[in-house]
Amino acid sequence: MHIQSIPMWEGSSNNYAYLVVDDTTKDAVIIDPANPPEVAPFLKEQVNSGKINLTSIINTHHHWDHAGGNSKILEQFKGLPVIGGKQCEAVTKTPKDGETFKIGEGITVKALYTPCHTQDSICWYMQDGSEKVVFTGDTLFIGGCGRFFEGTPAEMNTALNKTLAALPEDTKVCPGHEYTKTNVKFLTTVLQTEPVMKLQSFAENNKETQGKFTIGDEKTYNVFMRLDDPTVQKATGKTDPVDVMGKLREMKNSM
């Protein structure tokens, strides 16, 4: 499995699209190609040079900065299926929660429903041999999580601490935005632990953090995945996990 991240709108919303390629067949999918002027030329070059066989567009959720480029991409790459939630632009297939499919011969993809940021949020867990990665859109960020635009603290708790937390610890996290620097600023107001300081140092010294950290790492520093931590509970003044989640989001929103 080869993963190529494509930064979009650098300096403003700092989104990522991702090209995922099966090593054997060169079958490939493009995840959240929201800004066609930045994504389409790269895809064209890859397709025209025979490096990839583009088989589908995959979306993490319906927001325009993730799914809003689908129609324009389809103008250049006609007939591609669009796999995502029911509200995604030009969607043709919405897998069931837990449904799996293949990219080429080697990559198994599993749809994980994680409603909260949007009700159609789907995280995509991919495995190729011992390689594991999850594309989390705006549900899980490195050191943070998405706003609860269409959901509740209980739903985000389920998404992060039941659905995603159940993935293998060595699963790499590829989120929809590069938000780590601002996320760390918030983390340090709640936790001043060694894992948080290490993440802070990495974020200060590296422009990009996608795919550099795992689900296991997130459990060590991401306060939204540490709702039972006494220090986190003390910072929020709450003890019930759902209440802690809600208060953390409120605190982060007000920063």
Side-chain angles (χ1 to χ4, degrees), residues 16 62 149 162 185 190 196 208:
Y16 287 120
H62 72 262
F149 286 130
K162 293 176 185 167
K185 277 182 193 162
V190 180
V196 170
E208 299 183 4

Side-chain angles (χ1 to χ4, degrees), residues 13 30 34 43 72-73 76 78 117 125 146 151 167 169 201 206 220 225 233:
S13 59
I30 185 71
L43 291 179
K72 284 283 184 197
I73 294 289
Q76 298 184 55
K78 297 190 190 317
H117 179 73
Y125 173 65
L167 294 175
E169 299 276 287
S201 172
N206 295 272
T220 68
M225 296 185 80
Q233 292 182 347

Side-chain angles (χ1 to χ4, degrees), residues 15-16 18 30-33 57-63 65-67 70 83-85 88 112-115 117-124 134-139 174-177:
N15 286 65
Y16 287 120
Y18 294 96
I30 185 71
I31 299 173
D32 288 353
I57 296 168
I58 293 180
N59 289 140
T60 57
H61 62 294
H62 72 262
H63 282 163
D65 64 324
H66 294 267
N70 292 351
I83 304 168
C88 293
L112 301 173
Y113 280 27
T114 51
H117 179 73
T118 65
Q119 283 300 304
D120 71 345
S121 289
I122 301 175
C123 292
W124 301 96
V134 62
F135 297 91
T136 55
D138 288 2
T139 295
C174 288
H177 295 263

Side-chain angles (χ1 to χ4, degrees), residues 229-240:
D229 185 319
T231 310
V232 176
Q233 292 182 347
K234 188 179 175 190
T236 60
K238 310 284 184 187
T239 52
D240 178 82

Side-chain angles (χ1 to χ4, degrees), residues 158-243:
T158 298
L160 299 186
N161 297 311
K162 293 176 185 167
T163 304
L164 294 177
L167 294 175
E169 299 276 287
D170 60 346
T171 304
K172 290 177 181 173
V173 178
C174 288
H177 295 263
E178 184 55 64
Y179 284 165
T180 310
K181 277 193 179 72
T182 52
N183 286 340
V184 168
K185 277 182 193 162
F186 175 65
L187 293 184
T188 58
T189 68
V190 180
L191 279 180
Q192 289 85 40
T193 57
E194 189 184 349
V196 170
M197 297 306 146
K198 277 187 176 169
L199 179 64
Q200 183 177 41
S201 172
F202 189 90
E204 282 170 1
N205 291 293
N206 295 272
K207 190 179 171 187
E208 299 183 4
T209 59
Q210 78 288 11
K212 305 293 186 192
F213 297 93
T214 65
I215 290 292
D217 294 328
E218 290 300 310
K219 291 175 184 177
T220 68
Y221 53 66
N222 190 331
V223 294
F224 296 97
M225 296 185 80
R226 296 185 61 82
L227 306 181
D228 294 330
D229 185 319
T231 310
V232 176
Q233 292 182 347
K234 188 179 175 190
T236 60
K238 310 284 184 187
T239 52
D240 178 82
V242 173
D243 292 339

Side-chain angles (χ1 to χ4, degrees), residues 86-140:
K86 288 186 171 65
Q87 289 178 265
C88 293
E89 182 176 287
V91 68
T92 58
K93 180 172 171 55
T94 301
K96 294 190 176 94
D97 188 22
E99 189 176 327
T100 62
F101 59 92
K102 300 279 277 192
I103 301 169
E105 293 172 7
I107 305 170
T108 302
V109 185
K110 182 187 271 193
L112 301 173
Y113 280 27
T114 51
C116 181
H117 179 73
T118 65
Q119 283 300 304
D120 71 345
S121 289
I122 301 175
C123 292
W124 301 96
Y125 173 65
M126 301 192 188
Q127 184 165 5
D128 184 359
S130 61
E131 272 188 286
K132 306 171 200 81
V133 62
V134 62
F135 297 91
T136 55
D138 288 2
T139 295
L140 173 65

Side-chain angles (χ1 to χ4, degrees), residues 10-22:
E10 280 189 86
S12 55
S13 59
N14 295 310
N15 286 65
Y16 287 120
Y18 294 96
L19 180 71
V20 184
V21 187
D22 174 56

